[in-house]
Amino acid sequence: MIHRRHFVLAALALAAAPVVAHHGWSSFDQDKPLYLAGTVKSVRWQNPHAEFVLTVPAGLTVPADLAGRKAPAQSQSVDGGGIFSKAIVPAKATGDWEIELAPLSRMSAWSVSELKPGDRVEVIGYALASGDQRVFRVEYLMVGGKIYGLRSGPQ
């Protein structure tokens, strides 16, 4: 039998625990692919998905060659070329963004090395549909001259 005091203590402990946000794909506006690039500020490499903070510099523009880059084949059908050609830099892109990657098992399947603060990366993906936070879900990660498709595993 749980005593009321134990129940209250357990509830207080849960309330004080850090909350890790996890957003499914449906939380993001997948009709508007966005392009961000910058420097990794901090990294959390653990499940439910790896994530990092990206510092985007002022004056960011979409690279002239972005639409022509070859998206890697994934096990799930994704129109990589269409996503690359539609990607735009969001208004007010400058500053820090919380970037959500894939689960670690998928990162491992793509052989993505753990990111480190100071790494330069490019991402194509989607902002939260609600628009109330600078949270971004990655469809394509570009780092070290390689492109990784994170919607599903490699084909």
Side-chain angles (χ1 to χ4, degrees), residues 1-24:
M1 180 178 204
I2 297 178
H3 296 288
R4 175 172 280 191
R5 184 176 67 141
H6 291 126
F7 177 77
V8 170
L9 290 173
L12 288 172
L14 286 173
V19 176
V20 176
H22 177 75
H23 306 96

Side-chain angles (χ1 to χ4, degrees), residues 30-154:
Q30 297 175 63
D31 293 327
K32 297 178 185 168
L34 302 174
Y35 171 84
L36 295 174
T39 305
V40 174
K41 182 176 183 177
S42 61
V43 180
R44 191 181 73 79
W45 206 259
Q46 61 190 43
N47 282 315
H49 49 73
E51 59 187 45
F52 65 97
V53 173
L54 179 68
T55 301
V56 176
L60 180 67
T61 59
V62 173
D65 71 335
L66 186 66
R69 294 183 192 177
K70 180 150 175 54
Q74 298 184 60
S75 58
Q76 184 177 355
S77 179
V78 178
D79 180 13
I83 292 169
F84 276 48
S85 65
K86 291 183 214 170
I88 62 168
V89 173
K92 301 179 184 177
T94 304
D96 290 349
W97 287 76
E98 179 186 326
I99 307 295
E100 295 185 358
L101 298 170
L104 295 184
S105 58
R106 191 169 314 140
M107 301 299 284
S108 178
W110 281 102
S111 299
V112 178
S113 297
E114 183 173 343
L115 299 175
K116 304 281 187 254
D119 286 349
R120 169 106 170 98
V121 301
E122 298 172 275
V123 291
I124 295 176
Y126 314 100
L128 278 176
S130 63
D132 61 353
Q133 298 176 22
R134 293 166 67 87
V135 177
F136 189 90
R137 182 77 180 252
V138 174
E139 183 81 63
Y140 291 98
L141 170 67
M142 293 163 272
V143 61
K146 296 181 181 176
I147 301 174
Y148 304 98
L150 300 184
R151 173 69 64 133
S152 61

